[in-house]
Amino acid sequence: MKYLALLSGGKDSCFNLLHCAKNGHELVAAASLGPGSGKEELDSYLYQTVGQDAIELVARALEVPLYRRVITGTAIEQGSEYGSRNSKGIIAVEGDETEDLLALLSEVKAHHPDVLGVSVGAILSNYQRVRVEHVCRRLGLTPLCYLWNRDQGELFEEMITAGMEAILIKVAGIGLTTKHLGKTLAEMHPTLLKLNEQYGAHICGEGGEYESLTLNCPLFKHRIILSEVETVIHSDNSFATVAFLRIKNAHLEPKPSFQDFELDIPAMLQGEFATLSNAVEWSVPSAEIEIGNREPTHPNHPNFSHAAGRQVGPWVSISNIERVTQESATELTIEEEVTECFQLLETRLNEFRLDISKCTNINIFLSDISLFARVNAVYAAFFGSSPPARACVAVDLPYPIRIRLDCTAFAEKNTQDRQALHVQGLSYWAPANIGPYSQAITAGERIFISGQIGLIPAQLFLPSPRSLAMETALASQHVSRVIDVLKSTSSEKWTGHTQLALYWLTDINSLNRVKSVINAPSNVPRTPTLYLVVKDLPKDALVEKQVLVHTGRFFVLAEEDPDDVIMQSRPPVFEHRTPGFHDVHDHPF
């Protein structure tokens, strides 16, 4: 796709361009936000503002037009989310610096209407990622974030190997002084590794330890030469010096014609998940099960309580949400049917003094997976930021029902009781959730992780040729990486224990192969697991994995003061039970 580069001039924003190029995207413009005239630096939560003197040179080195805008807003909304969770709530926060980005990217779109993506060099910052993705969603742009959640040590070495020539232009972390200003990445590598080992400093500067300026990279048509710089000391103390380079004179130097470059791309599967893929690949089911046809196995559907609701503490469950059918009922479009389901869900939630924004997980059951796109379009209209986790599968539904919902909601006391992970940028990490659902919702020490299919994250395609082994391993890796990010960004430390794993599969024999590996005798203790065969999965996937996790943290009475309650982490207690099946012969499970 054609894309624009969100440029700071630093190593991360430029290195991400190399990955955009390797993934087949075409750079057509650059955009940058900075302080107003006479200001060399601005205390911004969202943007790197030091080194703005050289941004024009970076764009000229890339030979693309540069669009600039002055930051007029401030960090008004500083929470983990931006905008309202309610679909009818506030989309924009007036006066917030995020809205400056919206205005800038809107200008670029007006001049380049064929732009579809935005290159973003974010590595760890959820604050930056959430706001950039919010703006991109409003403009119909796809964030390209290939550095997201990469190991900083590996990433730093890859930058050096790829020929990135960037220097430190600001220092603000322990162990860094004015003598490190102007040093290249290669020169700083040993020092940064030592500071990481001694103090936990971020090798790539994600904790604000330093900022950089790129003088040369493989995509540059020209090299930036700094002819004259001046060191400016902002503050000097024994803990950490804050200083930066003021660029007084610089120019471009022509480079030889463009040559291809080597770039390390992370392995698709890593560690235990490569092993899992091999295990599924070589697994052999005990017996092949013949399936005569795909007609419903139970044409007489059991009667369920319609939109049945139940509350346990702060948790509310509402199941079997579907349209009300009568003999005289008129035909509905699928869009009308989805709307009716959500109106019913809203009504039932209101009875528990909740609304749709309090949903933590929704499972969608469709009569035909071909309805997915149309259902998704209507579904999105009912949520704002941080939508619930979800899974979507196709099953046999009684005519004329085409959609059925199950919902779990949480009665939070404040907005911090419910947190979302909703990553929407293309990366090597895990699939972007560009649709109206989050990768995970954390509420009340429970984590609902959306159903993950085996997509290749950087392209959002399933592996080709098709492979149950690869899809199972990728889906499992995606779940694991979601959990890892939640752990690393949580203000409270927790271990995490899976309370339930669901494997949705489209073939009974695939089920046996996956089950034989997941339930291997060596996997003890076993996670409570359900294996379910359904008609179809999104994108014609072979397997989808959905997980419920508990952080392992509980409120307990304090030993010193029985009237006091404290939070503690405790390991789970496992009890192995084998379910019994009655009146079922030759049951495959």
Side-chain angles (χ1 to χ4, degrees), residues 158-209:
E158 290 170 14
M159 291 179 184
I160 296 171
T161 302
M164 290 282 296
E165 184 183 341
I167 61 169
L168 267 61
I169 197 171
K170 178 183 177 181
V171 291
I174 188 169
L176 296 176
T177 66
T178 54
K179 72 178 183 181
H180 296 116
L181 292 172
K183 298 286 188 181
T184 65
L185 300 184
E187 292 170 332
M188 287 300 302
H189 194 203
T191 300
L192 293 172
L193 288 176
K194 184 177 180 180
L195 292 176
N196 172 258
E197 183 179 345
Q198 289 180 332
Y199 306 111
H202 293 269
I203 296 174
C204 285
E206 287 300 289
E209 294 88 348

Side-chain angles (χ1 to χ4, degrees), residues 266-502:
M268 193 179 307
L269 292 174
Q270 297 184 331
E272 64 182 288
F273 301 103
T275 303
L276 173 62
S277 177
N278 290 332
V280 175
E281 183 68 37
W282 291 100
S283 64
V284 179
S286 56
E288 192 80 4
I289 299 171
E290 295 291 334
I291 304 295
N293 58 59
R294 300 198 60 166
E295 291 300 313
T297 54
H298 298 286
N300 297 319
H301 292 266
N303 292 320
F304 294 111
S305 298
H306 189 59
R310 184 186 179 197
Q311 181 166 12
V312 178
W315 296 98
V316 172
S317 171
I318 301 177
S319 57
N320 303 315
I321 305 154
E322 58 188 42
R323 63 172 290 194
V324 178
T325 56
Q326 300 173 348
E327 290 186 8
S328 58
T330 58
E331 281 291 324
L332 298 178
T333 65
I334 186 61
E335 290 79 8
E336 291 170 334
E337 191 171 343
V338 175
T339 300
E340 183 176 321
C341 287
F342 271 95
Q343 290 171 342
L344 176 58
L345 174 59
E346 183 85 62
T347 299
R348 295 293 282 122
L349 286 170
N350 290 166
E351 295 171 10
F352 295 96
R353 298 183 179 180
L354 300 176
D355 59 45
I356 285 179
S357 69
K358 300 299 187 290
C359 295
T360 58
N361 186 83
I362 293 179
N363 279 5
I364 306 173
F365 303 99
L366 301 177
S367 63
D368 194 306
I369 204 66
S370 64
L371 299 171
F372 180 79
R374 293 172 63 188
V375 169
N376 216 32
V378 182
Y379 182 99
F382 291 92
F383 299 101
S385 64
S386 304
R390 80 174 192 194
C392 180
V393 301
V395 297
D396 297 321
L397 292 175
Y399 180 83
I401 302 300
R402 288 173 292 180
I403 178 171
R404 177 181 286 164
L405 306 177
D406 284 346
C407 169
T408 303
F410 182 72
E412 62 203 48
K413 294 180 180 179
N414 58 69
T415 55
Q416 296 304 308
D417 290 343
R418 178 192 184 276
Q419 297 289 312
L421 179 67
H422 188 198
V423 180
Q424 301 163 71
L426 295 183
S427 69
Y428 302 116
W429 169 70
N433 282 7
I434 298 173
Y437 61 102
S438 298
Q439 275 94 351
I441 295 291
T442 303
E445 304 303 323
R446 283 184 169 83
I447 302 164
F448 296 82
I449 298 178
S450 289
Q452 299 290 322
I453 60 176
L455 293 172
I456 300 171
Q459 293 90 28
L460 294 185
F461 295 148
L462 290 168
S464 179
R466 301 301 303 277
S467 166
L468 174 67
M470 180 65 77
E471 289 189 35
T472 302
L474 279 169
S476 299
Q477 181 172 268
H478 300 336
V479 168
S480 177
R481 288 181 172 179
V482 168
I483 294 173
D484 287 344
V485 166
L486 293 172
K487 287 181 182 179
S488 65
T489 57
S490 174
S491 59
E492 304 290 343
K493 298 300 180 184
W494 50 271
T495 304
H497 311 287
T498 301
Q499 291 189 311
L500 177 64
L502 299 178

Side-chain angles (χ1 to χ4, degrees), residues 120-134:
V120 185
I123 299 174
L124 282 183
S125 174
N126 273 306
Y127 183 93
Q128 181 187 28
R129 177 189 58 77
V130 165
R131 282 148 183 80
V132 172
E133 289 179 347
H134 191 277

